[in-house]
Amino acid sequence: KQEVTQIPAALSVPEGENLVLNCSFTDSAIYNLQWFRQDPGKGLTSLLLIQSSQREQTSGRLNASLDKSSGRSTLYIAASQPGDSATYLCAVSGYSTLTFGKGTMLLVSP
Amino acid sequence: GAVVSQHPSRVICKSGTSVKIECRSLDFQATTMFWYRQFPKKSLMLMATSNEGSKATYEQGVEKDKFLINHASLTLSTLTVTSAHPEDSSFYICSALNSGTDEQYFGPGTRLTVT
């Protein structure tokens, strides 16, 4: 059974800092890995998708890496802003399953 | 922990027929539920937000007449794919929002195949 762990569970940083969120998974037989953003009371917003054959994806200030063999992914956020405050979820996709981590709650203070 | 169920887990239907997918929150009341779909090799995308007792809010590009959402009770939301076509084949996942804790719990998903 796939298990996804996200570290840290919560993170508080001052505006402007670069930060890294970590995600690990137990079964490396995945199709892809996704990072989502969740604002309170809202649906998920997809940030980045990395196929199992890829090593990283970039979108603006976000960069996600994937090391499938070691079961790890990181989400790098450059020059953080207060608007980045949200919960960030990592999810790994199998053929008919989608397994989420519990998320990292990020607070960026002005 | 909180549990959200989906039924069926897998369904195969013929083109032109309609398919109903149920999403239930088993141990808490959810005034808000969300429906997502995931195409192969694509990211999970939010389709609509389902609010108990009112009309669903659909994301841009999602046909509300094709994907009928009903949230008639605090523990059940249904998604009906009407006049299904092969391009509707996808993985559909729902989530339920626990308004008391603001936590969102996901169902296990439904794989729809339209032949």
Side-chain angles (χ1 to χ4, degrees), chain A residues 39-97:
Chain A
D39 293 287
K42 303 293 184 181
L44 296 182
T45 299
S46 176
L47 297 174
L48 290 164
L49 168 71
I50 311 176
Q51 301 290 353
S52 61
S53 59
Q54 297 175 322
R55 298 283 293 183
E56 67 176 344
Q57 283 288 323
T58 298
S59 176
R61 294 182 293 109
L62 306 179
N63 176 279
S65 67
L66 173 64
D67 184 341
K68 200 173 81 161
S69 61
S70 67
R72 295 182 181 183
S73 176
T74 61
L75 178 66
Y76 176 83
I77 302 177
S80 59
Q81 302 171 358
D84 295 331
S85 298
T87 297
Y88 290 81
L89 292 160
C90 161
V92 294
S93 181
Y95 172 69
S96 60
T97 61

Side-chain angles (χ1 to χ4, degrees), chain A residues 32 34 36 38 40-44 46-49 51 89 93-98 100, chain B residues 10 32 34 36 38 41-46 49 91 93 97 102-104 106-108 111:
Chain A
N32 58 54
Q34 305 170 63
F36 297 91
Q38 182 181 18
K42 303 293 184 181
L44 296 182
S46 176
L47 297 174
L48 290 164
L49 168 71
Q51 301 290 353
L89 292 160
S93 181
Y95 172 69
S96 60
T97 61
L98 187 64
F100 283 85
Chain B
R10 295 189 180 191
T32 304
F34 303 95
Y36 303 84
Q38 183 175 33
K41 298 185 179 182
K42 298 292 185 182
S43 180
L44 193 71
M45 300 301 296
L46 178 65
T49 302
F91 186 58
I93 190 167
L97 180 67
D102 239 10
E103 290 178 273
Q104 196 169 153
F106 290 84
R111 180 160 295 282

Side-chain angles (χ1 to χ4, degrees), chain A residues 7-22 61-62 75-86 88 104-110:
Chain A
I7 295 172
L11 182 63
S12 182
V13 299
E15 182 177 9
E17 274 202 9
N18 302 323
L19 52 99
V20 175
L21 308 182
N22 298 289
R61 294 182 293 109
L62 306 179
L75 178 66
Y76 176 83
I77 302 177
S80 59
Q81 302 171 358
D84 295 331
S85 298
Y88 290 81
T104 294
M105 187 179 300
L106 173 65
L107 176 63
V108 181
S109 53

Side-chain angles (χ1 to χ4, degrees), chain B residues 22-71:
Chain B
E22 293 185 348
C23 177
R24 293 181 184 272
S25 59
L26 300 183
D27 54 4
F28 67 95
Q29 294 183 330
T31 55
T32 304
M33 290 185 173
F34 303 95
W35 285 96
Y36 303 84
R37 69 183 297 185
Q38 183 175 33
F39 292 102
K41 298 185 179 182
K42 298 292 185 182
S43 180
L44 193 71
M45 300 301 296
L46 178 65
M47 297 175 66
T49 302
S50 170
N51 297 297
E52 188 267 338
S54 64
K55 291 183 179 180
T57 303
Y58 289 82
E59 295 298 302
Q60 190 173 7
V62 178
E63 299 176 61
K64 59 182 179 182
D65 293 331
K66 181 168 186 61
F67 298 99
L68 300 179
I69 291 173
N70 184 283
H71 193 160

